[in-house]
Amino acid sequence: MLVQTIHWKPRSPVHIQAVVSKPGKLFSQLGNPEKPLYLGFDFGTSGARMVAIDDNAEICADAKRQYPVDAKKELAASWRETLFNLLQELPVAIRSSIMAVSLDGTSSTTMIVDKSTGTPLHPPMMYNENFPEALPFLRNIAPPNHTVLTGTSTLAKLLVWWCNHKQKNKSNAVLMHQTDWLLALLHGTYGITDYNNALKVGYDPAEEEYPDWLLSQPFSVMLPVVRKPGTFIGFVTTDIADTYGLPRDCRVCTGTTDSIAAFLAARVTQSGEAVTSLGSTLAVKLLSTKRVDDARFGIYSHRLGDYWLVGGASNTGGAVLRQYFSDKEIQELSSKIDPAVQSYLDYYPLPATGERFPEANPNLTPRLEPRPVSNIEFLHGILESMARIEARGYKLLDDLGATPLKTVYTAGGGAKNVIWQQIRERVLRVPVLVSEQTEAAYGAALLALYGAGGKITILPRKVDVKLNA
């Protein structure tokens, strides 16, 4: 077991700084160790991040960890280990001040668990796993072009599991998402989700209920209870509180998806403003007055108060870049690219066969040829081609009736690349800005603050986002 040492000392006025050796990374500054704090986790494709904020939504601590090297073999176990390792890394004075916790995870990452014990009954089915064999049945029960009518939807995964398991294995089984299961490890009740994660299983966020066409199916007995994101579920269990030094009245609140959390972190308030999350994948979310859903293009709408977050998630993104370059190489090569010059290369960068948005095509193959001799030109071509996919996605949202795009804020690791930002601004033809907070974990922390009775204040505009319409 890796032992991590935390060094911290008070300053005048009281100022605490913590440094954690790799693989975790933690910095904290806390004016008053006894003031209430709110903790958010973001579980991505390759690792997890944690952010603690105070009543003013100021960051007091943050940490990140990569999943263990054997994570692909035991996904659920690696997520659980990472969650508790991150908790353990927080200084005791911070842990004892955590009043609420929330969490986000990858959308449509699906789990089937025992509703009494939380034990996984099947390996997690990841967000990009495709089950096209479910589509003929789903097309017979769901409305045309519904969000669930893709092979990667949560409902497709539930259906395939149901059809391939005997009745005796179903009596105590419940559908959960990555987000729900990790939160349940803290509060102890399995089978509760939020309406953002539940969207791709068929939940109707406008009516706030599962539709009749879904409830009439035999597998509907496995559907989880749905709550608004940021809703208080229960307190941490006594065992969790005592083991990790959390207050026994620390609240656990329903979470959301990673792209929604990134949107919340960006503090967008005006219709027509959007957030592009540049992580392992590329996800877009546009604040719109009109709801747009169309499974043909991988487009769906999440509810946010009186508005809709319209968008989708492409499989292009950082995962492709890492197949060819290290982070250091990307930084060095990007500095030699002229963002004002259009790349002559026309790629469709994908890590493997299959695309979700702006077209739902499980058979779309990566296109990364021809490869020039110059790595600078090659990287330029990839970055510009990703920007074209992003632009195509936003244009499609506009064509289908969403509020026209005005401004794009950037979240995720790709937000650090200034050259890429300038390329995207040229291609998108709207201002492209870096979000004040680029990490989804910050958005999850805002949900924890909201669940504890606070307001999610959008700075610097000082506008409250009311999640309950």
Side-chain angles (χ1 to χ4, degrees):
M1 177 182 291
L2 177 65
V3 177
Q4 302 202 358
T5 305
I6 299 176
H7 306 281
W8 57 317
K9 63 178 182 178
R11 298 181 183 178
S12 181
V14 178
H15 178 95
I16 299 170
Q17 184 178 40
V19 179
V20 181
S21 58
K22 291 182 177 180
K25 179 183 178 184
L26 173 68
F27 304 94
S28 78
Q29 50 186 18
L30 192 58
N32 175 7
E34 296 183 355
K35 68 180 179 181
L37 299 176
Y38 311 91
L39 192 61
F41 292 91
D42 165 48
F43 275 72
T45 56
S46 59
R49 182 179 289 270
M50 168 181 68
V51 168
I53 62 174
D54 61 16
D55 283 321
N56 296 316
E58 296 291 333
I59 296 178
C60 299
D62 90 300
K64 64 180 179 180
R65 257 185 180 266
Q66 296 298 305
Y67 298 138
V69 291
D70 60 347
K72 290 185 178 180
K73 296 180 181 179
E74 294 290 345
L75 279 172
S78 72
W79 297 337
R80 179 174 54 227
E81 177 183 337
T82 302
L83 172 67
F84 291 123
N85 281 340
L86 282 171
L87 264 180
Q88 192 69 51
E89 287 175 9
L90 280 172
V92 174
I94 294 181
R95 273 184 267 159
S96 63
S97 299
I98 300 296
M99 293 292 101
V101 181
S102 191
L103 186 147
D104 72 75
T106 50
S107 175
S108 197
T109 292
T110 305
M111 300 183 69
I112 307 296
V113 307
D114 185 296
K115 60 186 175 185
S116 298
T117 65
T119 303
L121 302 177
H122 187 275
M125 291 168 275
M126 292 300 292
Y127 65 96
N128 57 352
E129 285 190 65
N130 191 36
F131 297 89
E133 62 269 34
L135 293 180
F137 180 86
L138 294 182
R139 291 190 183 107
N140 283 331
I141 64 170
N145 302 324
H146 194 279
T147 303
V148 301
L149 296 179
T150 65
T152 58
S153 73
T154 310
L155 188 57
K157 293 162 187 170
L158 171 60
L159 177 62
V160 169
W161 184 89
W162 179 269
C163 292
N164 288 306
H165 287 78
K166 297 179 180 180
Q167 188 61 40
K168 66 178 182 179
N169 297 327
K170 302 172 183 176
S171 58
N172 211 40
V174 66
L175 168 76
M176 299 192 77
H177 305 87
Q178 178 191 35
T179 301
D180 318 330
W181 184 72
L182 287 166
L183 287 170
L185 295 178
L186 301 177
H187 62 74
T189 302
Y190 297 91
I192 301 174
T193 190
D194 62 272
Y195 61 54
N196 294 149
N197 272 294
L199 183 74
K200 293 181 184 178
V201 78
Y203 184 81
D204 187 339
E207 299 297 329
E208 296 190 353
E209 62 185 12
Y210 288 113
D212 290 340
W213 62 261
L214 180 57
L215 292 176
S216 64
Q217 303 305 316
F219 50 77
S220 66
V221 296
M222 291 180 58
L223 295 174
V225 174
V226 181
R227 297 285 181 262
K228 178 177 60 180
T231 298
F232 168 55
I233 306 171
F235 299 113
V236 293
T237 66
T238 301
D239 181 59
I240 292 294
D242 294 346
T243 300
Y244 296 97
L246 298 172
R248 291 198 175 188
D249 61 349
C250 175
R251 295 180 168 217
V252 182
C253 307
T254 49
T256 187
T257 67
D258 50 357
S259 59
I260 299 296
F263 193 96
L264 292 173
R267 297 168 168 176
V268 168
T269 61
Q270 302 297 319
S271 60
E273 295 181 330
V275 174
T276 297
S277 299
L278 298 176
S280 297
T281 60
L282 186 155
V284 305
K285 288 286 182 290
L286 170 70
L287 193 63
S288 174
T289 57
K290 181 180 177 180
R291 179 180 182 179
V292 178
D293 296 280
D294 198 320
R296 295 174 300 170
F297 309 109
I299 294 173
Y300 49 89
S301 295
H302 286 285
R303 182 178 168 188
L304 184 68
D306 295 325
Y307 292 92
W308 295 97
L309 296 186
V310 183
S314 169
N315 287 337
T316 196
V320 180
L321 294 172
R322 290 192 184 95
Q323 291 178 341
Y324 298 96
F325 305 106
S326 67
D327 289 346
K328 183 179 180 181
E329 288 171 331
I330 293 172
Q331 183 178 5
E332 291 175 351
L333 293 171
S334 294
S335 67
K336 300 174 183 178
I337 294 172
D338 183 351
V341 176
Q342 180 177 342
S343 172
Y344 65 91
L345 297 166
D346 182 21
Y347 294 153
Y348 204 107
L350 294 171
T353 299
E355 176 61 305
R356 297 176 290 160
F357 169 84
E359 63 176 293
N361 183 354
N363 300 314
L364 186 66
T365 57
R367 189 175 71 247
L368 286 156
E369 298 288 343
R371 177 166 180 172
V373 175
S374 168
N375 279 337
I376 299 172
E377 292 182 15
F378 185 48
L379 177 61
H380 187 180
I382 294 176
L383 294 179
E384 182 134 349
S385 296
M386 289 180 178
R388 292 171 188 150
I389 293 171
E390 180 185 5
R392 179 183 166 192
Y394 280 121
K395 183 180 185 306
L396 187 58
L397 300 184
D398 182 65
D399 291 344
L400 293 175
T403 301
L405 181 67
K406 298 175 182 176
T407 305
V408 174
Y409 293 87
T410 310
K416 301 174 185 177
N417 192 320
V418 177
I419 297 299
W420 195 7
Q421 177 185 341
Q422 294 172 352
I423 291 172
R424 293 170 52 231
E425 189 166 59
R426 169 170 53 80
V427 173
L428 290 169
R429 299 183 180 181
V430 297
V432 176
L433 310 171
V434 177
S435 304
E436 180 182 350
Q437 300 294 340
T438 63
E439 297 296 340
Y442 181 83
L446 288 175
L447 283 180
L449 170 60
Y450 177 81
K455 291 184 178 180
I456 301 180
T457 305
I458 310 302
L459 300 174
R461 301 186 185 94
K462 301 292 186 182
V463 176
D464 292 334
V465 171
K466 298 179 180 179
L467 296 184
N468 50 334

